[in-house]
């Protein structure tokens, strides 16, 4: 017989009374000598399907291997359930045991802490919580492609191995095939990269933006969606060493068009999750964050507040609030500052614009004041910065001057500067941290819990 997924069995009435075939992992078994009940989950939904074993037809011996974590294959009749808690159940006719799970199976009981489950990241997808998160993550990835594809954006594949440091932060993982304990040297004692695989230093990308700009200034509107690597030693609840980023880049967009797109985009994603992942979101709300659904709805129904960095800093300075990091014009805002603006002051998502040029990357369009650039960061409740973006400097001379000021090796940037040298156009883009969006949508508080296998400093297990 063909296997049915539990999600589709529970969603349709048409199969009631018919013989079905289900396969999955046992969550629990209980009962007495007349009848035994097994809660089966196959990952297709947060909901289990109840299997009823009539003990006139099955022996104790046959059911003995059905312990928490075991995998089984059952055929039987789908019927309306007499008991509470489920609409349908299966009256088992046949049973096949695929794999047993003895008492060493780590997920015996319910209610493990998230910390415990992080150490069992290879098995945690089998828990209700991580099943829900992985399904939401998949739905959200689909929503992102759907949003951009329906708008006529093209999906551009930017390289993961690169020789340029887009964000200029120097937080890159080097990629090399040189023998680390016997490095070739040049005459002056430096490492001889001409002997390395690419003939020069290379690293994992921190952003696909620079290549994204090459795409946008040719085919108009593109987006990237891929893994991104940052070797920052920040052990926070919001940073990963390997995370996924979505970077749209658009020709002929100014910063206002950019902000409009960012707002429409995140609202679309949140709406998609509410409409398509209801059971999972309700489960997460019930177990982790009672306000989750109202917070998601709230973001959908409110315009994001837009103000400049300078205005934001004034609000923070006048707030009288004691921040761990003191506020003054020119500082890089910390998450406590961002969250104060969003959660205490405006009580809405905020887009801050026109940051001091010193704290932003070289490629951002310079304002007339000579001090600020056309940056925009979208700040969210609980999260802080969820999106960072800008209008780009389209003027070759101004861009070159900024590259000089920051001592960025010019010869490495020749290809990027060609976009400004030939047919330069106003253009803008932004980057959304996929896991930060997932934190917001699932109500989780630690970014390690919204990616299947987190990479953080000193942690590369699984
Ligand atoms: O603000 P960032 O560094 O911007 C860029 O990389 C630009 N090139 C984007 C662009 O304009 N195309 O990163 C963008 C977003 C942040 O707002 C944050 O959501 C996420 O990426 N992010 C991280 N997420 C998880 N772990 C980290 N270490 C992250 N660093 C940034
Ligand atoms: Mg940023």
């Amino acid at each position: 017989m063909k296997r049915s997924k539990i999600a589709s069995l529970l969603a349709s009435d048409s199969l009631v009374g018919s013989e079905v075939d289900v396969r999955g992992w046992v969550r629990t078994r209980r009962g007495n000598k007349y009848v035994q009940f097994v809660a089966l989950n196959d990952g297709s939904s947060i909901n289990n399907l109840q299997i009823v074993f009539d003990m006139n037809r099955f022996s104790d011996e046959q059911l003995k291997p059905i312990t928490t974590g075991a995998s089984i294959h059952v055929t039987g009749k789908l019927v309306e359930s007499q008991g509470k808690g489920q609409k349908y159940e299966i009256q088992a006719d046949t049973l096949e045991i695929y794999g047993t799970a003895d008492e060493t199976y780590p997920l015996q009981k319910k209610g493990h802490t998230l910390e415990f489950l992080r150490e069992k990241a290879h098995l945690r997808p089998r828990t209700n919580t991580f099943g829900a998160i992985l399904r939401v993550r998949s739905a959200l990835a689909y929503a992102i492609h759907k949003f951009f594809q329906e708008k006529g954006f093209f999906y551009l594949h930017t390289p993961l191995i690169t020789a340029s440091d887009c964000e200029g932060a120097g937080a890159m993982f080097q990629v090399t095939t040189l023998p680390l304990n016997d490095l070739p040297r040049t005459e002056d004692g430096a490492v001889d990269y001409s002997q390395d695989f690419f003939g020069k230093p290379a690293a994992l990308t921190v952003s696909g933006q620079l290549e994204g700009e090459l795409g946008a200034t040719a085919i108009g509107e593109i987006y990237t969606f891929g893994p991104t690597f940052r070797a920052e030693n920040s052990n926070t609840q919001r940073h990963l060493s390997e995370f996924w980023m979505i970077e749209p880049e658009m020709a002929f967009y100014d910063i206002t068009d950019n902000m409009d797109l960012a707002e429409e985009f995140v609202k679309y994603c949140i709406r998609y999750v509410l409409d398509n992942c209801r059971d999972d979101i309700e489960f997460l709300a019930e177990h982790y964050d009672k306000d989750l659904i109202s917070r998601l709805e709230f973001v959908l129904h409110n315009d994001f507040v837009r103000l400049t960095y300078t205005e934001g800093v004034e609000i923070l300075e006048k707030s009288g609030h004691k921040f761990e990091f003191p506020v003054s014009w020119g500082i890089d805002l910390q998450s406590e500052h961002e969250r104060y603006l969003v959660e205490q002051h405006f009580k809405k998502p905020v887009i801050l614009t026109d940051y001091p040029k010193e704290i932003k990357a070289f490629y951002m369009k310079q304002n007339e004041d000579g001090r600020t650039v056309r940056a925009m960061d979208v700040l969210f409740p609980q999260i802080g910065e969820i999106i960072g973006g800008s209008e780009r400097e389209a003027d070759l001379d101004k861009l070159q001057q900024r590259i000089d000021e920051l001592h960025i090796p010019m010869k490495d940037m020749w290809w990027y500067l060609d976009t400004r040298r030939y047919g330069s156009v106003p253009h803008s883009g932004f980057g959304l941290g996929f896991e930060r969006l997932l934190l917001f949508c699932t109500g989780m508080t630690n970014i390690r819990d919204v990616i299947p296998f987190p990479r953080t400093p000193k942690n590369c297990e699984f």
Side-chain angles (χ1 to χ4, degrees):
M1 215 187 305
K2 200 163 170 281
R3 173 195 169 213
S4 293
K5 290 191 189 179
I6 291 173
S8 50
L9 289 183
L10 296 177
S12 95
D13 300 331
S14 62
L15 286 168
V16 177
S18 59
E19 231 2 64
V20 296
D21 175 317
V22 290
R23 306 169 195 201
W25 293 268
V26 173
R27 286 291 157 82
T28 56
R29 173 160 71 93
R30 61 185 177 84
N32 52 43
K33 61 183 177 180
Y34 307 109
V35 61
Q36 290 273 319
F37 301 98
V38 170
L40 191 72
N41 191 285
D42 68 0
S44 59
S45 135
I46 190 87
N47 300 304
N48 300 329
L49 185 61
Q50 175 158 284
I51 319 279
V52 184
F53 289 92
D54 178 348
M55 295 311 281
N56 288 321
R57 304 176 57 193
F58 292 89
S59 67
D60 285 346
E61 204 52 36
Q62 258 180 305
L63 262 65
K64 209 168 152 213
I66 304 188
T67 54
T68 298
S71 48
I72 62 171
H73 173 195
V74 172
T75 64
K77 196 162 152 193
L78 188 71
V79 297
E80 287 190 19
S81 178
Q82 312 299 316
K84 273 201 306 208
Q86 66 276 323
K87 203 166 150 206
Y88 302 128
E89 61 193 22
I90 289 181
Q91 289 168 344
D93 286 330
T94 68
L95 166 67
E96 178 188 359
I97 311 279
Y98 281 134
T100 56
D102 67 12
E103 66 291 343
T104 61
Y105 180 59
L107 307 175
Q108 294 290 348
K109 298 184 311 232
K110 283 187 177 176
H112 291 296
T113 64
L114 293 169
E115 289 78 11
F116 172 83
L117 292 177
R118 246 169 257 150
E119 289 166 16
K120 308 276 180 257
H122 59 308
L123 291 173
R124 69 178 182 174
R126 295 196 192 175
T127 62
N128 286 334
T129 298
F130 284 89
I133 290 166
L134 294 185
R135 284 185 296 270
V136 173
R137 189 176 165 108
S138 170
L140 207 45
Y142 179 67
I144 286 162
H145 284 293
K146 194 163 145 63
F147 175 82
F148 287 116
Q149 294 286 336
E150 285 173 4
K151 275 193 174 303
F153 282 53
F154 300 106
Y155 181 27
L156 183 74
H157 297 102
T158 51
L160 298 189
I161 301 177
T162 173
S164 50
D165 181 359
C166 172
E167 292 306 299
M172 301 183 87
F173 289 100
Q174 203 176 341
V175 173
T176 180
T177 52
L178 289 178
L180 292 181
N181 41 19
D182 184 21
L183 289 170
R185 302 277 171 186
T186 58
E187 268 168 24
D188 56 10
V191 174
D192 183 4
Y193 281 105
S194 70
Q195 296 191 40
D196 202 352
F197 191 87
F198 296 106
K200 59 178 172 181
L204 296 178
T205 187
V206 296
S207 159
Q209 179 194 323
L210 302 185
E211 291 88 355
E213 288 184 54
L214 304 180
T217 56
I219 54 175
E221 292 167 337
I222 64 93
Y223 69 104
T224 72
F225 186 1
T228 308
F229 308 89
R230 304 236 171 140
E232 307 158 279
N233 202 358
S234 27
N235 243 316
T236 79
Q237 308 226 343
R238 287 179 201 81
H239 289 87
L240 290 165
S241 314
E242 176 181 295
F243 64 100
W244 286 64
M245 184 154 58
I246 298 97
E247 295 187 278
E249 190 70 35
M250 299 75 62
F252 317 114
Y253 273 51
D254 67 14
I255 191 163
T256 307
D257 304 323
N258 204 22
M259 288 192 279
D260 291 345
L261 181 74
E263 182 165 346
E264 187 190 345
F265 173 47
V266 281
K267 284 181 171 170
Y268 178 93
C269 291
I270 293 168
R271 159 71 46 220
Y272 190 90
V273 165
L274 280 171
D275 289 349
N276 294 279
C277 306
R278 200 71 199 191
D279 287 353
D280 289 324
I281 296 295
E282 279 172 4
F283 172 86
L284 293 168
E286 187 187 327
H287 289 86
Y288 294 97
D289 182 356
K290 301 269 175 283
D291 301 325
L292 175 61
I293 293 176
S294 58
R295 199 180 313 112
L296 296 178
E297 301 271 4
F298 181 80
V299 167
L300 287 183
H301 297 128
N302 282 282
D303 290 338
F304 297 2
V305 181
R306 299 178 185 190
L307 70 158
T308 65
Y309 167 94
T310 304
E311 290 163 337
V313 165
E314 267 165 29
I315 292 170
L316 293 170
E317 281 175 335
K318 287 197 191 126
S319 70
H321 187 86
K322 270 248 168 309
F323 292 107
E324 192 188 335
F325 295 92
V327 182
S328 62
W329 199 93
I331 64 154
D332 204 356
L333 297 181
Q334 302 294 318
S335 127
E336 56 166 341
H337 307 131
E338 298 171 339
R339 291 184 60 178
Y340 181 88
L341 289 173
V342 174
E343 290 164 28
Q344 312 287 320
H345 189 83
F346 289 110
K347 301 193 165 59
K348 279 183 193 175
V350 168
I351 310 184
L352 272 193
T353 61
D354 302 288
Y355 283 71
K357 66 177 179 192
E358 279 75 22
I359 58 171
K360 290 292 182 188
F362 72 96
Y363 50 71
M364 296 190 183
K365 184 176 168 69
Q366 296 159 43
N367 283 320
E368 314 252 287
D369 64 10
R371 306 167 74 202
T372 60
V373 287
R374 300 238 119 163
M376 54 153 234
D377 278 9
V378 180
L379 313 179
F380 257 40
Q382 315 283 316
I383 312 288
E385 178 190 338
I386 194 162
I387 284 179
S390 68
E391 184 169 343
R392 317 307 187 189
E393 183 54 77
D395 182 278
L396 179 62
D397 293 335
K398 286 190 184 157
L399 183 60
Q400 211 141 32
Q401 183 202 331
R402 195 74 192 121
I403 288 175
D404 290 342
E405 280 168 15
L406 293 169
H407 306 293
I408 298 170
M410 189 70 129
K411 75 172 181 18
D412 298 341
M413 299 302 296
W414 64 271
W415 51 272
Y416 181 69
L417 292 176
D418 270 3
T419 55
R420 281 45 172 192
R421 204 168 270 130
Y422 309 114
S424 184
V425 291
H427 63 288
S428 301
F430 60 83
L432 168 77
F434 188 47
E435 285 77 18
R436 297 221 181 147
L437 178 63
L438 268 161
L439 278 178
F440 187 72
C441 289
T442 59
M444 291 287 112
T445 51
N446 192 319
I447 200 161
R448 292 166 182 78
D449 296 333
V450 293
I451 187 164
F453 306 106
R455 268 77 182 101
T456 51
K458 301 276 180 286
N459 174 30
C460 194
E461 195 75 38
F462 313 109

